[in-house]
Structures are given as structure tokens and as C-alpha cells.
Amino acid sequence: MNALNVVPPEIGCLTELRLLDLRQNNLKKLPMELCASTDTIGTLTPSARKDSTISSRLVNTFAGSLRNLIMAENQLDDDVFDEIKYLSELRILNLSYNDLNDIPSQSIRCWPQLVELYLSGNELTSLPSDDFEEFSLLQVLHINGNKFQTLPAELGKAHRLAVLDCGSNSLKYNVSNWPYDWNWNWNTNLKYLNLSGNKRLEIKPSLPNGSSSARDGRDLTDFSALGNLRILGLMDVTLTIERIPDQTEDRRVRTSGSLAGQLAYGMADTLGKNDHLSLIDMVVPRFQSNENETLLGMFDGQSLSNAGSKIAKYLHENFGHTLQEEMKKLNLNSTPKENPGDALRRTFLSLNKDLATAATQHTQDRSISSHRGSAAPAVLSQADLRSGGVATVMFLQGSELYVANVGDAQAMLIHSEGSHRILTSKHYPAEFHERQRIRDAGGWVSRQGKLNDILDVSRAFGYVQLIPAVQAAPYVTHVTVKEQDEMILIASKELWEYLSPELVVDIARNERDDLMRAAQKLRDLAMAFGATNKIMVMMIGVSDLKKRANIRPHRVQSMSLNPGAIVDDGYAPAKRVKRKGNGVGDSVLNRLDTEIAAPEGEVGIVFTDIKSSTLLWETYPEAMRAAIRLHNDLLRRQLRIIGGYEVKTEGDAFMVSFPTATSALLWAFAVQSALLEVPWPSEILTSILGQEIYDTDSNLIFKGLSVRMGIHWGRPVCEMDPVTKRMDYFGPMVNRTSRISNVADGGQITVSADFISEIQRCLETYSESDRNGSTGSEEEYGNDLVAAAIRRELRSLSSQGFEVKDIGERKLKGLENPEYIYLMYPHSLSGRIQYQQQLLQNEKAAAAAGEQPASLSQKTKLSIDTDTVWALWAVSLRLEMLCSSLEGDKGKTSALQAPETAVLERMKQKGGEVTDRFLDRVYLDIEHTTISLQVKRNKRGVFRGFFFYYILLLWHAFTIITF
């Protein structure tokens, strides 16, 4: 992922280029010179013959070599087809998720070697019918997520077509009208056909005497001609035909809707390069005939060379019935009381035990009674049992969520503020506890991290030859779904290998109104990023659990209506209009909700700043360059998710505004929490200013850059900047906000009394208990959308909890009157209060003691004096500055700067204890810089041997002193 706006035309001169990957950029056009020789540009005359002109333009370009062109998730329009039509050797073309509206005629014919074409997520309404020749090599066509109403009959001429995904369109036509519209019966090589999400499509029986209802006496409304079919998606499609293909261990047919009971549901999958089915989904909307229970599962089996996975089919058939049996056996009187998580664990173990004993025959009672479908239950052979599979199962009972898994199919809970929680374990054999368990069971882990050099996972079903080293004892998680939780996602291994959790969250939330489209986009992007194996994505919305709980009120023992309760309109996500083709120069931000309009009138303004950033820049210039990018990306991402407006930045400081006080506070909390999850450069984490700090309960409260924030609520002067065309704010309100932020220390959020008053007014106005008795008026907040947003934000703030600490009246620089200042923390970071109070007490104690020099901790195991520690620290600082001076471009080095020793001197003079942990960090600093210098020496050859020998001696001497 980059942020390219323009592709350099010189890339076209790479005459041997085979793959060009331009995905996830901000491209709107491709240069015409990309496929034309720069030597011939400007020399062509109008009188030249067309063929010779084209031939001359293609000289010395990659037009004759390029095989794969990936341009997914950009902003390309229809002109791109003219810009790439001369790439006659293309095999794979991916233009998914751009701004395409129409494919010009003859475009597809320009690529006679094309095998895979991806056009998902655009605005296409038609395909060029004349481009599908009978000799076409096309095998894969993805056109899902567009606006197709019909498909041309000529698509049937693509006889090699094996994968066709046209889901989530607007298809509505008579499938029997074969002379004019496409019918699947002519593409007999289809292995994957997805029509799911076309809610207007109806497949109905052919008229018995209709002139166009049949061809050669064949019924064109069934799927019997597709003998190679492995996956058939008909979710949300209206079916009035009688004949639907049976399900087997090598075929999956989906005919349900995009609702699991009352909860939104969506899924997407692909076979990848596999010829057989081995990944099966399970959806039981009303488990045990209970409206408030839902069972979802994903079973990923190892397919055999000539068939699908019978292990996956066996688990799919038997899991629900076995879980019901185990639920009945729960001991509710035990201490602690057993819950569905225990039933899930026993179900996993029970099914694996059955697999271990069913060598040549299946367990008759269980398989037959639990079987869903017309095909015979799976009969397991020795070959099947020597294979195996992984599974992730989710059981939702009311608002209580239980997730169990073995293997590497992962589940994620996505929150409305853009954060997430992983609910599963990957069960990698190389993990410390798993490695020890495997060894105790007589197994071993190879250098490649595989169990007995065979399995990538340590826990799975089957693989009887590896028992007990491999087992099916699941990892079980219990979570209470809260109001800020939006959806649950389960995905197979391949998706997580190509998409980061943050990217998954952004895409899922951006498409949260249609989970079918969301699942398809995640799968499509994984393929665009290089995934070639099987993928499955399952998503279920949980924001409507409150509605589901009330669907049958006669089942509850009592019912009451509180007029002061918060209404459910907060569950409907606020839609923001997307401005396609007018995005900012950042593909991550373009993927998120559009930036809100600049708030006016009464607004919340937040100032942020990084603590000791100047010192960090002077000490770690290269690391800070990367750290600032991570910092800026995080703040801007949270602005889009929560709904704030970026006013301006000055250096590493941000000024942002919000339409409500609740959104300003929610953003500040989200940023402070997310800063702990950022993968900061190692130099930052090993420094005094960025080291990890834990509270007394072992909760992480500081890590990496420390950001201070100040928030104020009021009515500033709003004025559009004539140069930047962005809203700016002026006046005393802005001055006060700036001064309030200056009071904060790193990691603190200081707020004004006016801001506290506004938060209190929101709480009173939208109280769950007594809304009518509030002192405020809802009309003060404008229209219902603003009121709904405040309620939604209050629910999120309430679920995470927060603390307010009055730090008293402060005289702020430049202001006449003193200001009452408060500190606010989310509960998860409340340990910062005690930690910062302790720091303040230490500073006061040191000042009272006359600023005694620092001393070694009484708990240290070392026998060295503090002067040696300061000398070693000074050496590490000098080595760091030496590394920084060698970071110039093209082998050039910058002038060697003196090390920044302000922190060192302050610690020496201010007092305190030098712990063993601090000494470990100094050691790591010297180790990292020494290795870095050695690498640079090998690459550049600019160091003399005696110099490096001196450095290595220092390192060796330090090791002796420390240990």
C-alpha cells in the first residue's frame, strides 16, 4: 500500500516486467506513455498508418511482457481501458473497487490470453456482449458488487469459465430467455457460481410450452448440467423450482437469506486453486428452536487428492446435534456454574473422539439424526481420518457470546468506535505452551514451526496418526456483547495472512449496512493482495440484539416501558455520502467514512501534542520519522471513525473539532487507548520516554509516543481559510483550549469546566432513567440525527466507563481569570492517575532532599556504581547519533551531531532509582546500534577495522559488567 497519485511513465520501459501491482493507491489515470516508447512520443505523424503507429509506440515497453496487472482499490475511471488495451499478453487483470461505469466494446478482445478478470465493486451495468468469443481462455470472472440487471447471453460462449461471481447486483431477468440473456447451462465447466445477494432475482419453473423456455428439450432452470459444480450461492434469491442440487462433501449449496434469525448475516468464499470443496459453513439461526440462540461455525478440512473433505462434512452434519446433547448435560448447580462454553469444549472433544474410533464406518445414530440434506451422511475411511481439519464455532445466547476454536480460523468482535478484539487462538506449534505440550505428548516441532514437520497447527480434528501430540481441546472465550459491539467476523487462515486486522475492521465498518457486500469485499481484497488458496468470510451483526431480545415479549415474565429509555435509533449507523473520485491522498482514509462537514456554532475543540517530541527528534530522527507517520495515521483514522474534523496540524500537533462534546471525549479516549497498540519503532520503545509502563494491576498504561490533549467547549469564530479551503477557528475560545492543553502531561486529557458542564448536560438530557425530568432540552441539539449520535456516543462512553479528577484552579498564561481544570481517563487507563501522582511525589521528595543524585535500586543484583551506568548510557547515545548521521541518501552521510544528554543529566541530578530493567534497555540500545553499524559497514565499506573492533570491545565489556 502506497499513496501514489501518478504512475511514472518510465515504468513502461521495463521490457521484461511480468507483474505490476498498483493496488491500494490513489490513481485516477494512467499515463498514455506507460505502454508507449518514450523515444517515439512526439515523432508520430498523422499520415502514418494506424498499424505501424501502434507498433512503433509499443517498441521498448512492457506491452509484450506484462502478464499480471493488479490495480484494485484505486479511483480509476473508464479511461483506463484505453490506457491498457495494448497489453495483449495479460493473463490476470484486477480492476476491482474503482470508479468504473462502462466497459467499452472490444476491450476484453484486446486481451486474448486473459484467464482471470476481476471487476468487483464498481458501478458497471453491462458487459460488452461481443467480446466473449468461443475461443476465449477466460476461466475466472468476478463482477459482484456492481449494478447489473441482466447478463448477456454471449457470456455462455466462454466455455472454459470455471468461476463466476455475480453476487450482490440487481439481477432481475428471465433465466429461461436464453437467446437474449445468460443462462448457466452453457458454461458446463463452472465449479463456482455465486448469485447470492440478488434480492430481485427469481428462478421459477419454465413454461411447459414456452417457445424460449427450453433448448433441445432441456429445462434451463435447474443446475443438473453443471457436473463439476462445487459451490452454488443462491442466498436471497427467490426459488420456486423443485430441483436444487444435493449437498455432498464436495458440493455446498446455499439457499438461505441474509438474515440469521433477526440478525444481519453475510458471507463470501472462494475455492482458490483447489479443485474440491473442503471449507464448509454452518448457520443455525434458531438453535434449539430458541429465538435468542444462534449457532455459527466454520469447518476447514484437508481435502483429499480426488475428493473434498469428509472431515469438514462430518463436523458440519454432527456439531449441532452433539452440542444440544452436551447443553442438556450442563450442571447448573456446580461451583463455578457450568455454562455453554463448557458444552462447546465437550462437543469438540466428543466429536474428535468419535473420529478416532470411526475408522471405516460412521456413528449411525448421530450422523443420521443430525444430517441436514438429501445426500447420505459422510462415511469416513482410514484415508479420511489420517487427514483432518480446523474449526471455529460461535454460540450466541441472548447477549452472551461463546467462541471455541481449534486451529487457525480466527474470529473477531468489531466495535463501533473502530477497535476490535480477537476471540480465538491460532494454535501455532511454535508457541511456548503449545511446544511444551507437544513435547510432553511425544511429538516435536520442526524449525519451520510445524508439528512433527507436518501440521501448521497444534490443535485440530482428525489426524489420528498424530494423536496425542495433536488434540481437539478448544480455546474458549466468553464475552458479553455490549451496545458498542457492531459485528462478529469469522474468517479462514488465508484472509488473515493477507489483510491486517485494522484493514478488516475498516472495510467491515465501511460496508456495515450490507454484510454480504462487506464479506465479499474482504475476500476480493485478499485475492487482490495475492491470496490464491481457499477463503471463507462469515459476518453477523450484533447491534440489533436488543431488538431480537424483544421479538417475542410474551415469553418473558414481565414487560414494562420506560418513557425515559434511550430509543433504538442509535443502532442505525449514520450514513455519510461518499464522494467517489474526490478522496484524499490516503487510501486508508478513502476506505473509511467521509469526513464530516466542519462543525459551526457551539463546538468541541481538541489540541494534541507529543510529549518531548523535540528531544526524540534529536535523539532518534529516523525512528521518529516512522513514528510520526504512525501517530498521524492513527489520529486521522479515529477522526473518520468517530466523526471529527481536522482543522490543521503544526508539526506533530493536531487541532481538531467536533459537533458534540461526547464525540470529542470519545475520540480522545479512543486515541489514548489505541496508542498502546501501535507497533512503534524499537528505538522509541527502548527509550526512557517510550518504554512500556504497567500499573499495579499489571495493565499496560504507557507505550511509545505519549500524547497530551486539551478539550474545551464553546462558540469560536468560524471562518473558511481562503488558501486551504478548510474551516479555521479563532477567538478567545481557541486561545483557552490551547492553554488548557498546555497544562496536560504526556498521556493526560485535560478539559475545561465548560466541557464538563456540557458532558453533564448530555447525560441529564439523554438519561436512561428519567429523560423527561432533565434540565436540558433536546431541541438544543438540533435535529434527530444529532440527538441519535449523542445517544450512541453516550452508550459507548458508558460501556467503557471513565473517571474525572479535579486538579483545581489554574492561572493560564495569557488569560485574565483562572480556569478550573479536570483530568479525564477511560477506566482502562485509570492506572495513569496513580502512576502520575507517584511521579509527582517522587519529584517533590527529590526537591525536598536537595535533589540528591540518582542511585542504584536496592533490589538490584548488580555490583557496579552509578558512574559506570552514566558512562554506558553516554556511549549508547553517541552510537545512536553515529547511526543517525549515516542515514543519508545514496551513501552520503550527514554531519555528526553531539548526543542529546538532557535526559541523562536530568536523571543524574534529579535523583531516583536506577533499576535492572533500565540497565537492560541501555544494553539493548548498544546492541542494536552496534549491529546496525556492522550492517552499514558491510554494505558501504566506510569503516575501518580498528574502529569496529573498539565498538565490539565496548559491547563485550558492557556484557561482562552487566552479567
Side-chain angles (χ1 to χ4, degrees):
M1 181 187 74
N2 288 292
L4 292 178
N5 294 309
V6 179
V7 178
E10 291 79 8
I11 291 180
C13 299
L14 303 175
T15 57
E16 298 298 322
L17 191 66
R18 296 291 187 271
L19 168 64
L20 180 58
D21 189 347
L22 299 171
R23 58 181 164 86
Q24 269 197 306
N25 279 286
N26 303 301
L27 303 176
K28 297 182 179 180
K29 300 284 183 181
L30 293 180
M32 292 300 298
E33 300 88 349
L34 198 64
C35 302
S37 172
T38 55
D39 296 334
T40 61
I41 298 297
T43 63
L44 304 178
T45 62
S47 60
R49 294 177 54 192
K50 180 179 180 181
D51 292 344
S52 61
T53 299
I54 294 175
S55 177
S56 63
R57 293 183 64 188
L58 300 181
V59 174
N60 298 325
T61 72
F62 57 49
S65 65
L66 195 65
R67 301 293 190 270
N68 300 349
L69 180 57
I70 313 298
M71 297 190 291
E73 209 178 16
N74 279 281
Q75 301 174 38
L76 298 166
D77 57 21
D78 299 343
D79 293 339
V80 70
F81 293 102
D82 290 331
E83 295 156 359
I84 63 174
K85 65 181 179 182
Y86 296 121
L87 303 178
S88 59
E89 295 299 319
L90 278 182
R91 268 63 167 179
I92 298 176
L93 175 60
N94 195 321
L95 290 170
S96 298
Y97 302 97
N98 280 281
D99 294 340
L100 307 180
N101 290 279
D102 182 58
I103 304 177
S105 180
Q106 307 296 318
S107 293
I108 299 178
R109 282 192 179 186
C110 295
W111 310 305
Q113 308 296 323
L114 195 64
V115 176
E116 300 179 17
L117 178 59
Y118 301 88
L119 299 169
S120 308
N122 286 287
E123 304 288 330
L124 298 172
T125 58
S126 63
L127 291 172
S129 57
D130 295 336
D131 284 19
F132 296 98
E133 299 288 349
E134 295 189 16
F135 56 82
S136 171
L137 300 179
L138 192 65
Q139 298 180 22
V140 177
L141 177 60
H142 279 257
I143 55 174
N144 53 285
N146 282 282
K147 295 183 177 180
F148 291 101
Q149 295 188 19
T150 63
L151 297 176
E154 288 78 5
L155 185 58
K157 295 180 180 180
H159 296 309
R160 291 182 175 85
L161 194 63
V163 175
L164 175 59
D165 191 338
C166 47
S168 296
N169 277 284
S170 302
L171 294 179
K172 184 181 181 182
Y173 68 95
N174 184 1
V175 298
S176 299
N177 190 24
W178 60 267
Y180 304 101
D181 298 317
W182 174 74
N183 185 284
W184 50 82
N185 281 278
W186 315 134
N187 302 100
T188 55
N189 286 317
L190 281 173
K191 294 188 301 182
Y192 178 97
L193 174 59
N194 183 37
L195 297 168
S196 298
N198 289 285
K199 299 181 180 180
R200 302 169 61 197
L201 181 62
E202 181 180 5
I203 301 178
K204 53 187 178 182
S206 302
L207 297 175
N209 298 320
S211 59
S212 62
S213 62
R215 179 178 176 182
D216 301 328
R218 296 165 54 187
D219 183 4
L220 301 181
T221 60
D222 69 7
F223 299 86
S224 57
L226 306 182
N228 298 321
L229 196 61
R230 300 289 181 257
I231 296 177
L232 176 59
L234 297 172
M235 296 176 64
D236 290 329
V237 176
T238 302
L239 300 172
T240 57
I241 57 176
E242 296 181 359
R243 299 181 60 184
I244 298 176
D246 295 331
Q247 291 194 139
T248 68
E249 69 269 13
D250 210 9
R251 181 187 296 151
R252 181 74 172 103
V253 180
R254 302 186 182 93
T255 58
S256 64
S258 56
L259 285 175
Q262 299 299 315
L263 302 179
Y265 173 72
M267 71 86 55
D269 62 350
T270 178
L271 289 168
K273 299 298 183 182
N274 300 285
D275 291 327
H276 298 281
L277 178 68
S278 58
L279 191 53
I280 303 179
D281 56 303
M282 173 184 68
V283 183
V284 186
R286 297 173 181 85
F287 185 64
Q288 301 185 111
S289 301
N290 193 322
E291 291 284 351
N292 291 327
E293 294 185 355
T294 302
L295 182 66
L296 261 69
M298 178 182 295
F299 306 107
D300 186 356
Q302 176 186 339
S303 60
L304 303 180
S305 58
N306 58 349
S309 172
K310 289 185 180 180
I311 292 286
K313 184 68 162 58
Y314 178 86
L315 295 172
H316 176 261
E317 290 176 350
N318 292 280
F319 196 96
H321 179 72
T322 307
L323 180 59
Q324 286 188 28
E325 293 179 353
E326 296 297 339
M327 291 282 285
K328 295 175 183 177
K329 299 177 184 177
L330 289 177
N331 185 357
L332 302 181
N333 297 320
S334 62
T335 304
K337 184 170 66 174
E338 292 186 334
N339 58 45
D342 299 299
L344 280 172
R345 180 178 57 82
R346 293 168 186 163
T347 301
F348 273 68
L349 295 173
S350 176
L351 287 172
N352 199 51
K353 180 180 178 181
D354 291 346
L355 288 172
T357 58
T360 57
Q361 62 182 7
H362 57 276
T363 52
Q364 293 284 348
D365 295 338
R366 180 171 292 164
S367 295
I368 295 174
S369 62
S370 64
H371 177 62
R372 299 188 299 271
S374 57
V379 180
L380 302 175
S381 66
Q382 285 288 356
D384 295 313
L385 292 171
R386 292 182 69 83
S387 67
V390 302
T392 296
V393 178
M394 180 209 83
F395 175 60
L396 187 60
Q397 186 180 57
S399 60
E400 301 302 314
L401 173 65
Y402 302 87
V403 179
N405 86 293
V406 291
D408 47 18
Q410 301 295 292
M412 170 191 285
L413 179 62
I414 299 175
H415 310 307
S416 59
E417 68 271 16
S419 59
H420 68 276
R421 175 180 175 181
I422 299 297
L423 303 173
T424 48
S425 172
K426 294 182 179 179
H427 291 142
Y428 286 155
E431 292 176 353
F432 175 76
H433 295 292
E434 289 297 287
R435 183 192 293 268
Q436 188 61 45
R437 181 192 63 78
I438 292 168
R439 288 176 176 174
D440 294 342
W444 55 283
V445 180
S446 69
R447 292 184 177 180
Q448 290 73 35
K450 295 185 177 183
L451 190 154
N452 287 12
D453 205 22
I454 298 174
L455 276 186
D456 291 324
V457 293
S458 58
R459 304 198 182 198
F461 287 100
Y463 300 110
V464 294
Q465 76 278 16
L466 298 176
I467 293 176
V470 63
Q471 59 172 244
Y475 176 86
V476 181
T477 304
H478 174 208
V479 176
T480 299
V481 178
K482 300 179 180 178
E483 293 182 347
Q484 78 269 23
D485 298 326
E486 282 191 333
M487 63 196 83
I488 303 165
L489 181 144
I490 304 176
S492 56
K493 171 186 177 182
E494 192 85 348
L495 183 93
W496 304 109
E497 289 186 345
Y498 287 90
L499 303 184
S500 67
E502 293 75 20
L503 176 59
V504 170
V505 171
D506 290 346
I507 293 172
R509 296 200 68 255
N510 190 44
E511 302 288 345
R512 59 189 178 272
D513 294 333
D514 190 336
L515 296 189
M516 189 75 73
R517 284 179 178 266
Q520 290 174 357
K521 185 170 183 179
L522 287 170
R523 176 209 58 186
D524 294 340
L525 289 184
M527 292 190 295
F529 289 12
T532 59
N533 206 344
K534 56 187 176 182
I535 300 174
M536 179 178 288
V537 183
M538 303 172 67
M539 302 180 68
I540 186 167
V542 293
S543 59
D544 285 336
L545 281 180
K546 194 174 182 180
K547 294 180 180 179
R548 186 175 80 161
N550 297 327
I551 189 170
R552 294 189 179 182
H554 64 273
R555 288 189 175 185
V556 300
Q557 301 197 359
S558 63
M559 180 177 67
S560 62
L561 178 63
N562 181 3
I566 294 178
V567 297
D568 283 332
D569 54 5
Y571 286 101
K575 293 186 178 180
R576 299 175 185 166
V577 179
K578 284 196 170 185
R579 299 190 291 269
K580 296 195 75 173
N582 192 29
V584 297
D586 190 318
S587 57
V588 174
L589 297 183
N590 284 333
R591 192 184 303 119
L592 300 173
D593 291 330
T594 306
E595 185 180 40
I596 66 170
E600 299 184 57
E602 286 194 311
V603 301
I605 292 183
V606 184
F607 278 82
T608 76
D609 190 27
I610 298 175
K611 178 182 178 180
S612 302
S613 60
T614 303
L615 176 59
L616 288 169
W617 272 109
E618 293 175 349
T619 310
Y620 312 108
E622 293 303 317
M624 276 298 288
R625 192 170 290 114
I628 289 298
R629 282 199 300 269
L630 294 171
H631 164 271
N632 294 351
D633 290 345
L634 169 62
L635 267 62
R636 288 179 174 131
R637 179 175 180 268
Q638 292 297 331
L639 276 176
R640 291 296 186 90
I641 291 172
I642 293 173
Y645 183 80
E646 180 180 339
V647 182
K648 56 188 173 184
T649 60
E650 294 181 2
D652 50 50
F654 273 66
M655 176 184 177
V656 295
S657 62
F658 295 86
T660 63
T662 48
S663 60
L665 187 59
L666 194 60
W667 179 79
F669 285 175
V671 169
Q672 292 291 350
S673 299
L675 285 169
L676 303 179
E677 306 295 331
V678 174
W680 301 110
S682 59
E683 296 90 335
I684 302 297
L685 295 178
T686 56
S687 70
I688 297 297
L689 297 171
Q691 63 183 343
E692 293 182 357
I693 297 175
Y694 295 83
D695 62 13
T696 54
D697 296 326
S698 299
N699 297 317
L700 181 66
I701 56 175
F702 287 103
K703 176 185 175 184
L705 297 184
S706 186
V707 178
R708 54 172 168 255
M709 297 178 171
I711 314 178
H712 184 40
W713 177 264
R715 187 180 292 272
V717 176
C718 306
E719 187 175 299
M720 190 70 68
D721 188 289
V723 177
T724 64
K725 304 300 182 183
R726 296 187 64 80
M727 185 67 72
D728 204 349
Y729 301 92
F730 306 94
M733 185 262 184
V734 177
N735 297 337
R736 191 176 298 272
T737 309
S738 177
R739 300 299 183 264
I740 291 170
S741 68
N742 290 337
V743 176
D745 196 3
Q748 289 184 339
I749 305 170
T750 52
V751 303
S752 66
D754 291 338
F755 184 81
I756 290 290
S757 298
E758 179 64 15
I759 291 291
Q760 183 63 35
R761 186 167 55 174
C762 290
L763 289 169
E764 292 174 352
T765 303
Y766 300 100
S767 171
E768 290 274 6
S769 58
D770 188 9
R771 180 174 165 185
N772 290 335
S774 65
T775 58
S777 172
E778 185 173 336
E779 285 73 15
E780 296 178 4
Y781 294 93
N783 57 35
D784 291 338
L785 290 177
V786 175
I790 293 175
R791 295 190 189 102
R792 184 170 59 249
E793 290 152 6
L794 282 174
R795 278 192 291 268
S796 183
L797 289 170
S798 176
S799 64
Q800 60 184 298
F802 59 87
E803 296 187 13
V804 182
K805 177 178 173 57
D806 183 355
I807 61 176
E809 201 174 43
R810 297 291 182 91
K811 183 69 172 69
L812 303 181
K813 182 179 179 181
L815 301 182
E816 294 183 7
N817 300 316
E819 179 80 22
Y820 273 98
I821 305 295
Y822 299 84
L823 288 175
M824 299 191 74
Y825 292 93
H827 272 325
S828 60
L829 298 177
S830 59
R832 290 182 177 179
I833 299 177
Q834 182 179 358
Y835 174 79
Q836 289 168 333
Q837 286 177 340
Q838 185 64 44
L839 285 182
L840 185 60
Q841 291 175 3
N842 292 343
E843 290 183 0
K844 290 181 179 179
E851 295 187 350
Q852 295 294 325
S855 60
L856 286 174
S857 171
Q858 296 179 357
K859 299 180 180 179
T860 184
K861 300 178 181 179
L862 305 177
S863 58
I864 61 175
D865 54 36
T866 53
D867 289 339
T868 304
V869 176
W870 308 135
L872 289 170
W873 193 4
V875 169
S876 72
L877 293 175
R878 293 176 67 182
L879 289 174
E880 288 170 354
M881 293 307 298
L882 180 60
C883 287
S884 298
S885 68
L886 297 172
E887 296 293 339
D889 297 332
K890 299 180 180 180
K892 297 181 180 179
T893 59
S894 58
L896 183 61
Q897 302 293 327
E900 178 57 56
T901 59
V903 175
L904 186 153
E905 296 298 331
R906 180 180 178 185
M907 188 169 181
K908 287 171 62 177
Q909 302 301 327
K910 290 289 185 180
E913 291 186 336
V914 179
T915 63
D916 290 358
R917 183 178 179 185
F918 169 76
L919 292 172
D920 289 341
R921 292 191 175 278
V922 175
Y923 169 80
L924 289 174
D925 284 344
I926 293 181
E927 180 182 14
H928 292 162
T929 53
T930 304
I931 294 173
S932 177
L933 289 170
Q934 178 65 57
V935 171
K936 289 179 171 59
R937 173 180 180 269
N938 293 338
K939 292 175 63 176
R940 300 183 181 181
V942 297
F943 297 104
R944 297 184 181 274
F946 76 88
F947 177 74
F948 236 96
Y949 182 70
Y950 167 70
I951 294 177
L952 293 176
L953 281 178
L954 279 176
W955 185 10
H956 182 62
F958 178 74
T959 305
I960 294 175
I961 292 173
T962 307
F963 298 101

